[in-house]
Amino acid sequence: MGSGGVGLVFIAGFLCGLITTVASSGAAVSLPLLLAVGLDPVMANATNRLPILAASLSAVISYHRQKAIDWQVVWKAGLPTSLGSAVGALISLQISSREFKLAIAAAVAVALFMLFFRLRKTLDSEQKPSLVFGLRQFLVFLAIGVWIGFIVLDGATFLLLALTGSVGLGLVAANSVKSALILPSVMVSVLVFEYQAVIDWQIGALLSLGSVFGGYVGARVATSAVAKQIIFWTLVVVLIGEAANLLWQFLSLMAR
């Protein structure tokens, strides 16, 4: 990889970390890059966890110093999310590339729908007086964990929706908890993929280096006075970008 390629990978890592921390879907930047440099879908999917893991660690340290994380919610939601992640990672190793791409398309469509019809309603709402975490929430986070382990793309969006709509956290508080939940769930999937030897550590390490800086900057932005608007509109832009990319790929296939 030449110096230009190294710089591109580093910048992609920075953007991945920034977007993952501020809102969601930093994988939307790093996953296409990993596929473009020649990694097969399984290895790209596995390697893509490293910058997200690095960004989450950087963000959690920053959020913790600002005392912005509700650790009680993290402990309750972290178990089902991490268990689900192990299951999802194992499933991802068993499916074809075509099924993998269909799953990505479905995730983007669902995330866009829920973003505009659910998260927008919570944008101006405050945190509920009493938070809820029962069997229903356990199952919701278990399902999200399966998705995070499977592909991670839009997993953080689903976490935000569950934390605000089901648990009752405010959007800004949910964003910091989201980062703390991503950390163990992605770590579990990394262990599964490393056991199967499908991670490219050279490219992953470079992405992670950029992602650490992106995560730090993102944590500062996400706790600013205009954090709610930044979180929401970052989600909108990234998800629309994902949808446009999928449409372009579909039209390119139809034109052949």
Side-chain angles (χ1 to χ4, degrees), residues 3-18:
S3 58
V6 170
L8 182 62
V9 171
F10 181 85
I11 291 171
F14 177 84
L15 292 174
C16 174
L18 179 67

Side-chain angles (χ1 to χ4, degrees), residues 9-22 50-59 62 205-221:
V9 171
F10 181 85
I11 291 171
F14 177 84
L15 292 174
C16 174
L18 179 67
I19 295 170
T20 296
T21 306
V22 170
L50 299 182
I52 294 171
L53 184 65
S56 298
L57 177 59
S58 177
S62 181
L206 186 56
L207 275 171
S208 299
L209 182 61
S211 190
V212 167
F213 291 101
Y216 177 79
V217 173
R220 295 289 177 177
V221 171

